Every structure is written in C-alpha cells, then in structure tokens.
Amino acid sequence: MTVPLSYYLVLSGIVFLTGVVGVLLRRNIIIILLSVELMLNATNINFVAFSQYFHDVAGQVFVFFALTVAAAEVAVGLAIIIALYRAKSTINIDEFQLLKW
Amino acid sequence: MEQVFFFYFAFVIAAASVLVVAVRNPIYSAVALLIMFFHVAGLYVTLHAEFLAAVQIIVYAGAILVLYLFVVMLLNLRQDDHYHRQWPMAAAVGLTLIIEAIILTAMKGWTTPVVVTGTETTVEGTGNTEAIGDVLYSTYLFPFEVASLILLVAMIGAIILAKKDPLEVNGEG
C-alpha cells in the first residue's frame, strides 16, 4: 500500500496556501516570517516526494540548499526585525509605511 | 500501513500550520511550527530521506526556531495583535488558489503509483546519506560552495544589521 504522489502534492498545497494567507493576514512581522517558513517547508515536502517518486536523489540535494537559504533568511530577517524594533519600538507591520505611495 | 503513517503526519502538519497562522500569541505560533517541523521530519523518514529528516530536526527545530523564540522573548511583545485590514484580499487570494487547486486536481485525476525512469542516480543498497554526499560533492559542488558563501554573507549581514546604531558608527569612523 504505497501513497500516491498526489497526496503529497495536496498536502504541500494546503501548507503553502496557509503560508500565503498568513503573510497576507497577520500584522506581526515575526508571524509573517514564520509563514514564509511554512511555504519553504511546503516546497521541501514536494521536492522530497518527487525525489522518492523518480528515484533521483537530486531533489533531496535541492532541499538541502533550500534549507541553507532558509537559515540565511532567518538570520537576516530577525536582524532586520531587531533593527526595526530599535527604531520604532513596535513590530506591527502597519507602522512601517515609509515606502508606501 | 504506509498510508496510516502518511495520514497521521499529513493531518498534524496541516493542523499545526493552520495554528501557526491563526494563534494570537507569537510564542504559541512558534511552538506550533516546532510540532510541524517534527512531523515533516517524520514524513521525510517515510519517504526514505533519513538524512534530510535529521537535518530538518537539527537545523529547523534546533537552530531556526530557537532563534525565533529568542527574538520573540527579547522584544517582549504586547498582546494587541489583530488581523490585518486587508483580510478580504487575503481571503480572495486564498479562495482563488484553493479553487484553482481543486479544478487542476479534478482535471488531471490521481496519478498512478511509482513509474521507474531510466535516469536513476541513486544506487540501491547504499545509504541515503552516502548517496546524497556522493551527488553533493560531485555534481553539485559549485552550488555547495555558493551556499557556503550565502551563509557567510548572511552571518556578516546579520551582525551588521543588529549592531547598535550602525549609522552613528559609520559617521564617526
């Protein structure tokens, strides 16, 4: 009883969608970054599922690189959040509209 | 049996990711994300990607989430976080994507399990870690070096961004 590939695609679609809605819906920058992590994990699930499906290890190598980028993104993102908090003592996204026309 | 494990992991992953977005307190969000990471690691084990499962736990649950919790507790947030004003737009985008996914799934139908292609790079019999290492240090050597460069740049960037008053230091120096 093996699991069809479509199940993994549906699962990663659900998780990715949750991430998109989280980015659009929340006002806390930290939660927005967490939602980006959700989306990255959804793509990783896809990569690993396809890697198993095609018996090709390249998909897992790509997940490895996605993980590296996620770690870099978190480090820089959280540093930016700390800098923003130091400037305005809030991390509510509505307070940062300097670049808004 | 495999399907039972898949449905357990899939259900917990979906529920935890909804919780990450829905819960008000950022700490609870981070803990929900931790649960989700562990179950994604479990899913990787059922997909025979044991090395990635270990890396997922070490990097995501061990490093990234601790960093998040550290910042959440450092900033000492108040509990006045409401949903964004643009929630109708969020609902519209979400609904569009859901409908698109449903239509695409209904049109294509379900795939048949496992077709074996002729272009396999995995050698059966060797371990998962060995196979990844083989490919990573030969075919993907250049991306690997670029990844190390990205990490270096991110490290320097994070230190510079989080330093106190970078503009003032620049002006004096």
Side-chain angles (χ1 to χ4, degrees), chain A residues 17 25-26 37 41 56 60, chain B residues 21 23 37 81 84 98 121:
Chain A
L17 207 62
L25 203 60
R26 296 303 298 260
E37 295 296 327
N41 261 284
D56 191 332
Q60 297 182 23
Chain B
V21 174
V23 166
F37 285 158
D81 175 45
H84 203 281
I98 287 175
T121 53

Side-chain angles (χ1 to χ4, degrees), chain A residues 19-35:
Chain A
V20 171
V21 171
V23 168
L24 290 173
L25 203 60
R26 296 303 298 260
R27 292 198 292 193
N28 188 332
I29 299 182
I30 291 180
I31 307 286
I32 290 176
L33 271 186
L34 288 182
S35 303

Side-chain angles (χ1 to χ4, degrees), chain A residues 6 8 17-18 24-27 31 33-34 37 41 44 52-53 55-58 60 67 85-86 94, chain B residues 21 23 37 44 47 55-56 60 68 75 81-82 84 86-87 97-98 110-111 121 128 132 135 140 162:
Chain A
S6 352
Y8 291 101
L17 207 62
T18 317
L24 290 173
L25 203 60
R26 296 303 298 260
R27 292 198 292 193
I31 307 286
L33 271 186
L34 288 182
E37 295 296 327
N41 261 284
N44 285 356
Q52 167 71 8
Y53 186 72
H55 295 282
D56 191 332
V57 87
Q60 297 182 23
L67 226 98
Y85 186 78
R86 200 172 273 144
D94 289 338
Chain B
V21 174
V23 166
F37 285 158
Y44 288 169
L47 282 168
V55 169
Q56 170 93 4
Y60 267 118
Y68 271 115
L75 297 188
D81 175 45
H82 299 301
H84 203 281
Q86 64 186 14
W87 69 266
L97 287 176
I98 287 175
W110 303 98
T111 53
T121 53
N128 174 244
I132 287 185
V135 178
Y140 297 96

Side-chain angles (χ1 to χ4, degrees), chain B residues 14-151:
Chain B
S17 44
V18 170
L19 272 184
V20 169
V21 174
V23 166
R24 288 276 158 95
N25 191 333
I27 292 186
Y28 293 162
S29 280
V31 172
L33 197 69
L34 178 70
I35 295 169
M36 186 238 177
F37 285 158
F38 272 111
H39 283 82
V40 170
L43 201 63
Y44 288 169
V45 171
T46 66
L47 282 168
H48 304 288
E50 293 89 2
F51 174 69
L52 277 184
V55 169
Q56 170 93 4
I57 288 177
I58 293 170
V59 173
Y60 267 118
I64 292 181
L65 214 65
V66 168
L67 214 58
Y68 271 115
L69 283 175
F70 183 73
V71 170
V72 169
M73 292 176 183
L74 184 75
L75 297 188
N76 189 22
L77 302 167
R78 290 167 302 283
Q79 295 288 316
D80 55 358
D81 175 45
H82 299 301
Y83 290 135
H84 203 281
R85 270 197 313 277
Q86 64 186 14
W87 69 266
M89 208 179 93
V93 171
L95 269 181
T96 315
L97 287 176
I98 287 175
I99 291 168
E100 187 183 340
I102 290 174
I103 289 175
L104 282 179
T105 319
M107 268 172 54
K108 298 301 272 185
W110 303 98
T111 53
T112 52
V114 187
V115 274
V116 179
T117 57
T119 58
E120 301 173 21
T121 53
T122 319
V123 184
E124 297 296 334
T126 60
N128 174 244
T129 311
E130 200 180 333
I132 287 185
D134 243 11
V135 178
L136 190 61
Y137 290 115
S138 56
T139 317
Y140 297 96
L141 186 62
F142 182 66
F144 182 76
E145 299 292 344
V146 173
S148 69
L149 194 68
I150 287 177
L151 283 179

